Amino acid sequence: MSDIYSDRLFNGLSKTPPEAGMLLVSAPGMVSAELTRSVIFLLDVGPDGAVGVDLTERTEMATQNVLPQWTPLITAPQVIYLGGPVGHNTVLAVGVAKPDTVIGDTTLFSTTAHRFVTVNLDADPDEVKGKLHGLRMFGGYAGWGPGQLNAEIERGNWYVAPALTEDVLAPANVDVWGQVMRRQEQPLPLFATYPIDPNEN
């Protein structure tokens, strides 16, 4: 990872503790191809570590070819997103429940935060239909061990920000990283168009 920008930008800002339902926004200048301009939606944060899925990387694999029974519920583009470098054979379903949906004690959902839920793929899609504002499928996930994520945040590798529905269910033509950066306090919006490779700018 490059410290060229992260130590100047994110380290100079107040740091919000990471929680489930929030976003990790990667620092401009990250060298790792897996993390450049990535936005991680946190599914779980606790003493044992953290787990999230990347909202910015999608595959060419249509959900119709993998989970045809769930495809009618999935928000376009109806493809599998690359959730992270771990567990590519694991598919996680992340959705946004409608305001009138009861998401407490149910075998259909697990609450992440607010109206964000993870959907039980062993459930009957017909039971879930009508309860979600949208749904996204992720192959794999990003994971951190105990203390690892907080250490990376302290180094300035990540900025923690609130998540909105339009981040998790963004259309294919939306730059999620830029979208999130633009709505933060200055100076972050100034970096919203920071290129993947600054040498090409």
Side-chain angles (χ1 to χ4, degrees):
M1 297 181 186
S2 171
D3 292 328
I4 295 176
Y5 286 93
S6 62
D7 62 357
R8 299 178 187 176
L9 186 60
F10 290 170
N11 276 350
L13 304 175
S14 60
K15 294 179 173 59
T16 302
E19 297 179 0
M22 301 193 77
L23 301 175
L24 297 177
V25 186
S26 67
M30 273 195 174
V31 173
S32 171
E34 294 179 340
L35 298 175
T36 300
R37 291 178 65 90
S38 61
V39 178
I40 307 296
F41 177 71
L42 288 171
L43 299 174
D44 185 49
V45 179
D48 294 330
V51 174
V53 289
D54 192 347
L55 304 177
T56 65
E57 295 290 332
R58 61 181 182 273
T59 72
E60 298 297 323
M61 185 180 297
T63 55
Q64 179 64 34
N65 297 334
V66 183
L67 297 160
Q69 70 276 27
W70 287 96
T71 297
L73 281 68
I74 297 173
T75 303
Q78 293 176 324
V79 297
I80 301 293
Y81 276 62
L82 185 60
V86 182
H88 286 168
N89 292 328
T90 301
V91 177
L92 299 173
V94 179
V96 180
K98 290 184 176 180
D100 59 348
T101 298
V102 178
I103 56 177
D105 296 327
T106 176
T107 58
L108 304 180
F109 311 114
S110 296
T111 304
T112 296
H114 311 299
R115 307 305 298 179
F116 297 114
V117 297
T118 53
V119 178
N120 179 6
L121 293 179
D122 290 328
D124 184 345
D126 288 336
E127 293 186 46
V128 178
K129 186 178 181 180
K131 299 180 184 297
L132 297 179
H133 177 66
L135 181 66
R136 183 77 77 215
M137 297 289 182
F138 297 89
Y141 57 91
W144 293 264
Q148 183 181 0
L149 178 56
N150 284 330
E152 292 184 9
I153 292 171
E154 285 299 315
R155 286 199 300 269
N157 294 338
W158 301 101
Y159 180 77
V160 182
L164 300 180
T165 297
E166 52 261 41
D167 303 323
V168 177
L169 303 177
N173 61 347
V174 170
D175 171 18
V176 178
W177 189 88
Q179 172 177 270
V180 174
M181 289 285 278
R182 287 185 189 94
R183 68 170 186 260
Q184 308 308 314
E185 295 183 359
Q186 292 290 351
L188 298 190
L190 302 177
F191 290 81
T193 57
Y194 190 86
I196 294 177
D197 184 354
N199 295 321
E200 296 179 357
N201 191 24

